[in-house]
Amino acid sequence: MTANRRTPGTHWRQRPLRFAQDSETLRRLLAALNRHHAEEPCRQVPVRPVGPVHPVDSAAISRTVTEALAFQLPLPERAWVDMTALKLRGHLQLLLSEFDGDADAPPARTLHGDAYRLLALCDSFDATAPFLHAYELMRALAETTRSFADLHEERQQAQAAKESDE
């Protein structure tokens, strides 16, 4: 028996996470979640504070974008690049949901197009893609996320100023 075999899982090949995309699997997962929640005993739900609730965590987005755009020598490991790209993808999708249908200005329309193209490109990337391509995709996601976060902050400030005037 080799030394690696003594520790469970060390001889296993590392595989990237894959999320289900076919409708049958998603339907089965949703049904299992519904069954799980139906079987749980009733728990007391915490009360949310009254007032505006902002689901966008600007500090987390800013921290992730700063880490992704920081100049690093030597280049980071592939696992870190993939995990950071996954975080940025989630942040970008959240910001896109905030701006969905609100692309009146030409810069916002351009950003929407860039964001959707990058997200579509993320779907085709896997562990076999070259490292530098994954690194550049991560940086492009970070730049687009930063632009959307700036737009979100400007929008929040404009709404706050509008509410204070009333």
Side-chain angles (χ1 to χ4, degrees):
M1 181 180 270
T2 64
N4 283 343
R5 293 241 180 209
R6 290 185 187 138
T7 308
T10 57
H11 61 283
W12 296 341
R13 187 171 57 98
Q14 295 291 328
R15 291 184 301 178
L17 290 174
R18 290 189 182 239
F19 297 101
Q21 295 179 351
D22 60 303
S23 60
E24 182 61 31
T25 304
L26 293 174
R27 201 172 293 121
R28 282 187 297 147
L29 286 171
L30 187 59
L33 282 173
N34 287 336
R35 277 194 312 272
H36 176 70
H37 287 297
E39 293 170 358
E40 271 186 6
C42 188
R43 293 183 300 175
Q44 187 169 356
V45 178
V47 178
R48 288 187 172 208
V50 178
V53 178
H54 303 291
V56 176
D57 186 3
S58 299
I61 292 172
S62 176
R63 184 175 45 251
T64 307
V65 167
T66 303
E67 289 173 357
L69 292 177
F71 186 69
Q72 300 176 16
L73 278 179
L75 291 176
E77 294 181 11
R78 175 65 187 254
W80 183 86
V81 169
D82 290 341
M83 185 55 66
T84 305
L86 186 64
K87 289 178 189 176
L88 289 167
R89 186 177 175 183
H91 294 321
L92 186 57
Q93 287 173 337
L94 177 65
L95 289 167
L96 275 172
S97 70
E98 287 286 315
F99 280 92
D100 227 13
D102 189 22
D104 296 333
R109 254 183 299 192
T110 305
L111 272 177
H112 268 84
D114 291 347
Y116 284 118
R117 277 192 295 277
L118 282 172
L119 290 174
L121 189 58
C122 285
D123 290 336
S124 66
F125 261 66
D126 58 0
T128 61
F131 171 75
L132 288 178
H133 291 183
Y135 185 73
E136 285 301 316
L137 176 66
M138 178 199 67
R139 291 184 60 86
L141 280 168
E143 290 171 2
T144 306
T145 304
R146 180 177 54 192
S147 299
F148 262 110
D150 291 344
L151 277 177
H152 180 73
E153 289 295 321
E154 290 173 9
R155 185 175 165 190
Q156 292 297 326
Q157 289 173 357
Q159 285 179 352
K162 184 179 176 183
E163 289 175 1
S164 67
D165 289 343
E166 292 176 353

